[in-house]
Amino acid sequence: MAEPLVVMQDVNKHFGDLHVLKDINLTVGKGEVVILIGPSGSGKSTLCRTINRLETFETGSISIDGKQLPEEGKALADLRADVGMVFQSFNLFAHKTILENVTLGPIKVRGVPKAEADTRARELLERVGVAHQAAKYPAQLSGGQQQRVAIARSLAMNPKVMLFDEPTSALDPEMINEVLDVMVELARSGMTMIVVTHEMGFARKAANRVVFLDGGQIVEQADPETFFTNPTSERAKDFLSKILTH
Amino acid sequence: MGDILSNYNVLGAFWVTIQLSVLAAIGSLLIGTVVAIMRVSPVAVLRGLGTAYVNIIRNTPLTLLMVFSVLGLSLLLGLQISEQASTNAYWWAVIMLSVYHAAFVCEALRSGVNTIPAGQAEAARSIGLTFAQSLREVLLPQAFRGAIAPLGSTLIALIKNTTVAALILGATEAAGTLSKITENEGAQLPIFFLFALGFVLLTLPLGVLFTSMSQRLAVKR
């Protein structure tokens, strides 16, 4: 396996009495694309969000590129700048134009001059196919377009790893593919990605590994082909039988 | 009525009312923003202080604050802003109007903050903005836009509440001048309506302006 980039060791988290993450041990190598899959409430989104500490955790450790995840403050902000995040509900800054959404991070966090940030942002918007929308506001774009802008916004920070928290779950069916195409292209370009999704087409096409969670635990992990055709655990078999019949 | 208008400085009185309004609007916006930031901050102590400020100030009559400033703070505790009594009273009026309306500005802003989906703050943090940067770049601009209409109501209330300052300012601003005219010349309906018209002229256009601004600048989601 490639050099480890994200290392989670014995991570535990509770929401009140609910033990949402149980002794999570997960290592993601540089350039690896890992899919987190599991039933609703299995902790997959929470796991994804702990990696940049949008969710706190109680015990265990997470390191990114050899650096321990700081608890708060400037150090945490610096680390988050290196970790891209794409949300289910896009979360583009509603009062800023598409271009400003993409340049805000580089200008304010990285100190890139505005002209340079603009040029780079236009390149990225071109790459995700929404360059002609640069002057518009998020609400004027379709969900699929907004999500592609959100991907460009993350890419503008030159992240070491990108987290995707159900990136296509809030999209109309005909818009899912335009977002998945961008993600497949991203995976091929060598980006390290951790993706919470049920899109098996994407998993088969782009993923190196599928991690199946249930009840806050990692139950099984395998390459996509093995996992989807020949899962070993009963829980995974049961889960797949439910989602594959449709 | 002509006599009265030439013997009393009515325009000057309204000019003082405008000065008080503008200065207190700026003051209350500054203090109110700070208190609102405290109330939404992740630090429990700051949140507690912010909540205490709003609850205490909002539930104290402005009249009481005005009297307290000059009698309590200024005379008894010796907190003089100026040697000259009228200047001292003027600045205490500005301070108390600011302090009082800051509580309402804070709540207007907080209602603006509540219009912002939680995802906006998460997205801001996830691209590496610090708490202060998130506030400045993402949360406050949206909060202000969402709070324009209630902020407008607060500003209109502030302009009318400057009349309470007559208590400590005497006949320098509009309400004080009206009561002095009434005292010296007897009650006259035309004079009363003239002053009422003055306030309508100050507040009505603002109401229209704020309504149109709140529509124009609204954040589309």
Side-chain angles (χ1 to χ4, degrees):
Chain A
M1 193 165 108
E3 200 182 330
L5 186 64
V6 178
V7 181
M8 304 178 80
Q9 279 177 324
D10 301 318
V11 172
N12 278 282
K13 176 179 176 65
H14 293 80
F15 279 132
D17 287 339
L18 188 65
H19 199 168
V20 280
L21 294 179
K22 293 177 190 160
D23 298 317
I24 299 289
N25 285 288
L26 181 68
T27 302
V28 177
K30 262 190 191 127
E32 203 183 359
V33 177
V34 172
I35 304 288
L36 302 177
I37 198 168
S40 157
S42 60
K44 55 193 190 302
S45 276
T46 310
L47 192 159
C48 185
R49 289 161 55 88
T50 52
I51 296 173
N52 67 352
R53 249 187 194 279
L54 283 181
E55 297 285 351
T56 55
F57 53 93
E58 288 112 33
T59 59
S61 71
I62 299 178
S63 71
I64 294 169
D65 206 10
K67 269 183 279 182
Q68 282 293 319
L69 195 58
E71 286 210 7
E72 55 194 19
K74 185 78 179 79
L76 178 57
D78 286 346
L79 189 124
R80 279 176 176 151
D82 289 336
V83 180
M85 177 106 193
V86 175
F87 300 87
Q88 182 176 349
S89 48
F90 331 133
N91 296 344
L92 293 181
F93 304 128
H95 64 306
K96 291 192 179 287
T97 64
I98 298 308
L99 188 70
E100 289 167 344
N101 262 277
V102 182
T103 56
L104 181 67
I107 292 173
K108 295 294 167 187
V109 179
R110 302 271 194 235
V112 176
K114 189 174 178 304
E116 199 180 307
D118 278 0
T119 313
R120 167 105 171 103
R122 286 184 197 281
E123 282 167 18
L124 288 167
L125 289 173
E126 186 73 47
R127 182 172 166 191
V128 299
V130 284
H132 53 296
Q133 315 276 19
K136 290 190 180 166
Y137 285 88
Q140 296 169 282
L141 268 59
S142 73
Q145 290 171 328
Q146 288 191 52
Q147 194 60 300
R148 286 183 280 151
V149 174
I151 294 173
R153 175 175 69 180
S154 290
L155 284 175
M157 300 300 291
N158 297 318
K160 292 173 178 162
V161 51
M162 282 184 69
L163 311 172
F164 293 80
D165 187 5
E166 307 209 24
T168 57
S169 302
L171 294 175
D172 289 337
E174 76 259 39
M175 291 170 186
I176 290 177
N177 280 333
E178 65 188 51
V179 172
L180 290 180
D181 288 346
V182 170
M183 290 170 61
V184 169
E185 189 262 327
L186 205 55
R188 300 224 163 109
S189 75
M191 176 61 73
T192 310
M193 294 162 69
I194 298 172
V195 186
V196 177
T197 187
H198 289 158
E199 295 293 336
M200 263 159 324
F202 172 75
R204 283 209 160 100
K205 231 188 278 179
N208 303 104
R209 184 158 44 124
V210 175
V211 174
F212 177 73
L213 282 103
D214 187 41
Q217 280 174 309
I218 294 179
V219 177
E220 173 169 358
Q221 36 185 322
D223 64 274
E225 212 43 54
T226 314
F227 178 78
F228 289 119
T229 53
N230 194 16
T232 51
S233 67
E234 280 308 311
R235 194 63 196 84
K237 281 178 194 166
D238 181 50
F239 174 74
L240 287 174
S241 73
K242 280 175 188 151
I243 63 168
L244 289 177
T245 49
H246 293 291
Chain B
M1 182 159 158
D3 276 3
I4 292 172
L5 287 182
S6 56
N7 290 341
Y8 297 87
N9 188 0
V10 175
L11 278 181
F14 269 105
W15 175 233
V16 173
T17 296
I18 293 170
Q19 287 174 19
L20 288 175
S21 302
V22 171
L23 291 171
I26 295 169
S28 62
L29 208 57
L30 290 177
I31 302 171
T33 305
V34 172
V35 180
I37 291 173
M38 287 165 75
R39 287 204 76 175
V40 300
S41 83
V43 185
V45 178
L46 291 181
R47 280 202 304 274
L49 285 173
T51 309
Y53 181 95
V54 169
N55 281 331
I56 292 170
I57 298 296
R58 197 172 54 175
N59 294 309
T60 306
L62 180 57
T63 312
L64 212 72
L65 287 175
M66 283 294 171
V67 174
F68 177 68
S69 71
V70 168
L71 293 184
L73 295 174
S74 205
L75 290 183
L76 294 178
L77 296 175
L79 290 170
Q80 299 270 358
I81 296 168
S82 162
E83 295 282 305
Q84 212 178 350
S86 63
T87 315
N88 185 51
Y90 178 87
W91 285 107
W92 271 118
V94 169
I95 291 173
M96 283 306 164
L97 283 168
S98 301
V99 165
Y100 179 76
H101 291 93
F104 297 90
V105 168
C106 165
E107 291 306 277
L109 279 179
R110 222 161 54 88
S111 77
V113 169
N114 288 337
T115 65
I116 308 173
Q120 294 284 307
E122 289 189 347
R125 279 188 280 160
S126 76
I127 59 167
L129 296 178
T130 60
F131 177 68
Q133 286 174 323
S134 305
L135 271 181
R136 204 166 52 232
E137 300 293 333
V138 177
L139 301 178
L140 282 180
Q142 294 190 45
F144 274 107
R145 285 157 185 248
I148 288 171
L151 281 175
S153 304
T154 306
L155 181 61
I156 287 170
L158 185 155
I159 292 172
K160 295 185 296 175
N161 284 343
T162 56
T163 53
V164 178
L167 271 173
I168 60 173
L169 288 179
T172 52
E173 55 65 71
T177 306
L178 175 62
S179 78
K180 189 173 161 197
I181 294 174
T182 308
E183 220 174 284
N184 295 349
E185 318 284 339
Q188 298 179 28
L189 274 183
I191 293 290
F192 173 79
F193 283 123
L194 179 74
F195 276 83
L197 180 71
F199 276 99
V200 169
L201 287 177
L202 287 181
T203 53
L204 202 64
L206 273 178
V208 175
L209 176 74
F210 272 88
T211 305
S212 90
M213 264 170 50
S214 75
Q215 283 160 1
R216 205 154 32 92
L217 294 177
V219 180
K220 310 265 186 316
R221 299 200 191 276

